[in-house]
Amino acid sequence: MVEGTSNNINQPTPSNTNMETITATQTPPGPKGNLVLRPPFDLRNKTHFFIEWMADKYGDISRAKAGPFNFVFLAKPEYIEHMFLTRDVYVKMNEGSQLKYLLGNGLLTSEGEFWLKQRRLMQPLFHKQRLQGFVQKIADATNAMMNDWEERNMSVPDFYREMNQLTLDIVGRTLLSTDLKGDFAKVNKAMTTVLESVNKNRGRLFRLPAWLPLPSQIRLARSRKVLEDTIAEIISARRKDTRHFDDLLSMLLEVEDADTAERMTDKQLRDEVLTIFIAGHETTANALAFTLYLLAKHPDVKKRVQQEVADVLTGAELTYDLLNKLEYTTMVIKESMRLYPPAWVTVREAAKDDVIDGYLVKHLDKVVVSPYAVQRSEKYWTEPESFDPERFNATNIKSIPKFAYFPFGGGSRLCIGNNFAMMEMQLVIALMCNKFDFKLPDDFVVETQPFITLRPKDGVPLTFVKR
Ligand code: HEM
């Protein structure tokens, strides 16, 4: 893994590491006035380009005011590392965070001691031995989807939509032991409504607070309620069920605090289940859609992946370790997430004043880091716009500067599902490349859309044939 630091939740949280004590008064350079009044850019639809533009025009640290908020943009790996590792200064946003409103006190949105306790409880659920138990469930969901395509005479109108359905099915099977055809239909419907409402409000920057009584917020509140009630029902039914379930929910029900032997309350379970649903499905769907797009655009790379898959999956039992033998396929996935990082932006709030390289970051500033911008910067990558999986071979990977590549974030809040996601993507790509060939219309070029996750704007129109 090259991204971020090791996933050590107990690491110290140094304040102002290698940075001066708070004496600076100079704020970072940036555009004058309020961005909302005089936008230099289409901020709603092109926020990712705007962040690149800020770095080009104003340098590694810059600042802009948008609405009532001051944003500080960090574009240098050392600064990004400082933000991720200085946990007592850079905290998750509370006010105006739609995710917080939606997910309550789940792992993605909680902070402080509460977050640390939950993270310690949940970390073991994502260890390799546990993930092994999910390999077959992921393969079953993928095979079901591919059989469906065959029954539909290979009609796949939008591959991106299919990937969303597939990753939702996978999270349903691995988290709750339900599939799209069973009880899960209800959760699927509510989840889709919630995600649509959230996405209608666009990206995470420059947005109105979630509590404002706008029609879109009212719709979101309604669908959130449906989803919460549905998940609460599933949890309550599971508590009464004496059968054994091999899924994340039963693990969540069993984990207990090592000191107090306390277990999670129903409310906490509900927040964590919702969090895993939201954090774990659209990100992976986007990465899969962009990866197959890139493979279709680069037939030589696709051929090498198909060859590797055929060599590795020679009827052998599918295991977590077997999937890690797909070295080239893994390089392709990493390169795809360099060009198209699904979690394209991360925002923190400064809990107190800080100084970064002589510039003052003020209490309550929103600090923004974007893997999209840094992973496409000429400062750290040769020909950054070109697709070259060799950047991630065993030799080249060593020369990637720390935090010039961070699709899963970094520091103690590194994505808890990163190994799960890598395994899921390796497996889905391997099964699909083994069974099908695919291509794009000749002139198709994907456009990106920075919603909560980075999406392919008009989908990915792949056509599939059986190999
Ligand atoms: C390609 C797929 C994925 C990407 C790119 C991704 C990316 C990320 C990133 C960047 C963060 C850190 C956010 C921040 O610092 O504010 C994060 C956190 C998180 N992710 Fe993922 N993720 C992916 C898949 C998953 C999956 C499959 C799961 C669960 C099964 C998951 C669960 C979580 C959770 C619970 C957190 C919060 C962790 C914490 O703060 O302690 N993610 N993810």
Side-chain angles (χ1 to χ4, degrees):
M1 247 182 32
V2 293
E3 57 275 2
T5 54
S6 65
N7 184 6
N8 181 0
I9 54 173
N10 297 315
Q11 70 200 357
T13 57
S15 185
N16 296 309
T17 316
N18 300 324
M19 313 269 157
E20 299 90 296
T21 44
I22 315 244
T23 51
T25 49
Q26 193 186 7
T27 49
K32 301 229 171 336
N34 198 309
L35 286 181
V36 172
L37 302 176
R38 271 192 302 148
F41 247 85
D42 173 0
L43 290 180
R44 270 166 79 82
N45 297 307
K46 301 208 164 29
T47 331
H48 52 330
F49 299 153
F50 167 72
I51 296 173
E52 281 186 309
W53 177 81
M54 285 292 285
D56 285 348
K57 195 161 162 71
Y58 298 104
D60 290 333
I61 174 163
S62 55
R63 181 185 173 90
K65 192 169 175 70
F69 302 120
N70 284 313
F71 288 92
V72 171
F73 299 87
L74 305 179
K76 188 173 175 175
E78 287 90 327
Y79 300 168
I80 295 168
E81 175 171 21
H82 174 73
M83 188 209 80
F84 274 124
L85 299 194
T86 315
R87 226 178 64 210
D88 60 337
V89 176
Y90 298 104
V91 297
K92 294 263 173 166
M93 279 168 62
N94 244 326
E95 197 54 33
S97 162
Q98 197 156 35
L99 278 178
K100 174 92 185 172
Y101 169 74
L102 189 65
L103 303 176
N105 249 350
L107 208 53
L108 190 65
T109 43
S110 56
E111 255 302 340
E113 283 305 307
F114 184 82
W115 164 80
L116 186 61
K117 183 173 149 240
Q118 286 299 112
R119 178 88 189 203
R120 285 201 178 119
L121 280 178
M122 287 170 66
Q123 190 80 49
L125 310 191
F126 291 89
H127 281 167
K128 188 181 137 186
Q129 305 88 296
R130 301 279 193 151
L131 295 182
Q132 171 58 43
F134 298 139
V135 172
Q136 198 51 50
K137 290 182 183 223
I138 297 172
D140 289 346
T142 312
N143 287 327
M145 180 199 67
M146 293 195 298
N147 291 342
D148 213 35
W149 292 357
E150 286 186 273
E151 277 167 24
R152 282 161 20 195
N153 290 324
M154 304 308 291
S155 156
V156 180
D158 177 6
F159 178 68
Y160 175 51
R161 243 190 132 78
E162 298 289 321
M163 287 303 95
N164 264 294
Q165 285 296 299
L166 175 62
T167 55
L168 199 55
D169 192 9
I170 289 172
V171 92
R173 290 176 193 238
T174 52
L175 183 62
L176 305 173
S177 293
T178 50
D179 66 47
L180 279 175
K181 294 195 171 69
D183 300 339
F184 186 49
K186 211 166 132 195
V187 182
N188 182 25
K189 190 161 174 273
M191 177 62 69
T192 311
T193 321
V194 164
L195 287 174
E196 273 170 10
S197 324
V198 172
N199 275 323
K200 270 199 190 114
N201 289 340
R202 303 292 163 104
R204 287 200 269 171
L205 300 181
F206 319 128
R207 210 193 28 242
L208 293 167
W211 43 259
L212 278 182
L214 303 172
S216 58
Q217 308 287 37
I218 295 168
R219 264 197 312 276
L220 174 63
R222 244 185 247 137
S223 33
R224 181 187 72 159
K225 174 95 177 63
V226 173
L227 197 55
E228 280 180 358
D229 291 351
T230 314
I231 290 176
E233 265 170 44
I234 294 177
I235 292 171
S236 152
R238 180 65 69 84
R239 282 208 192 275
K240 292 180 204 127
D241 205 321
T242 50
R243 288 173 297 165
H244 172 76
F245 290 89
D246 207 3
D247 58 21
L248 277 168
L249 177 59
S250 64
M251 295 178 200
L252 286 169
L253 281 161
E254 278 160 25
V255 282
E256 50 183 46
D257 191 300
D259 301 326
T260 62
E262 250 180 81
R263 294 198 175 179
M264 285 189 217
T265 61
D266 275 7
K267 155 97 180 63
Q268 194 53 39
L269 275 168
R270 195 192 65 191
D271 288 352
E272 297 301 2
V273 165
L274 253 175
T275 295
I276 294 175
F277 252 115
I278 301 263
H281 115 269
E282 195 172 294
T283 41
T284 319
N286 298 9
L288 283 167
F290 284 122
T291 306
L292 259 80
Y293 162 79
L294 287 164
L295 287 177
K297 279 268 174 205
H298 299 87
D300 48 333
V301 177
K302 181 174 70 176
K303 218 169 171 180
R304 238 182 108 179
V305 168
Q306 283 169 329
Q307 190 55 55
E308 181 181 72
V309 168
D311 292 345
V312 172
L313 307 189
T314 46
E317 193 198 343
L318 286 173
T319 60
Y320 184 84
D321 290 332
L322 186 79
L323 293 170
N324 281 325
K325 292 197 177 137
L326 295 167
E327 283 175 18
Y328 187 68
T329 310
T330 307
M331 284 157 54
V332 168
I333 296 170
K334 288 184 171 168
E335 174 66 346
S336 159
M337 287 197 294
R338 181 185 70 81
L339 284 168
Y340 302 107
W344 62 279
V345 71
T346 294
V347 185
R348 296 283 193 271
E349 190 169 86
K352 50 186 165 189
D353 285 358
D354 190 27
V355 176
I356 297 184
D357 240 357
Y359 288 109
L360 182 63
V361 177
K362 288 189 190 159
H363 177 215
L364 297 183
D365 279 355
K366 316 287 175 219
V367 179
V368 180
V369 299
S370 168
Y372 184 90
V374 179
Q375 291 170 189
R376 285 172 177 255
S377 166
E378 275 177 354
K379 287 189 187 166
Y380 313 107
W381 305 89
T382 318
E383 291 184 38
E385 303 293 319
S386 72
F387 173 65
D388 179 10
E390 290 304 330
R391 298 177 204 272
F392 291 92
N393 70 27
T395 311
N396 293 340
I397 202 168
K398 292 188 194 129
S399 54
I400 300 175
K402 208 168 152 195
F403 285 98
Y405 182 73
F406 54 105
F408 289 112
S412 51
R413 304 215 54 157
L414 185 78
C415 174
I416 201 171
N418 67 345
N419 292 328
F420 184 113
M422 285 307 290
M423 167 187 79
E424 179 176 355
M425 292 187 283
Q426 289 164 329
L427 185 47
V428 171
I429 291 169
L431 293 174
M432 281 192 316
C433 286
N434 218 12
K435 190 159 184 181
F436 299 131
D437 201 2
F438 45 91
K439 61 178 185 346
L440 286 166
D442 286 343
D443 53 352
F444 181 80
V445 177
V446 79
E447 253 192 76
T448 48
Q449 195 167 35
F451 275 3
I452 288 218
T453 59
L454 189 72
R455 294 169 149 196
K457 181 163 172 278
D458 301 309
V460 179
L462 285 169
T463 46
F464 287 80
V465 286
K466 205 158 173 199
R467 293 180 72 203

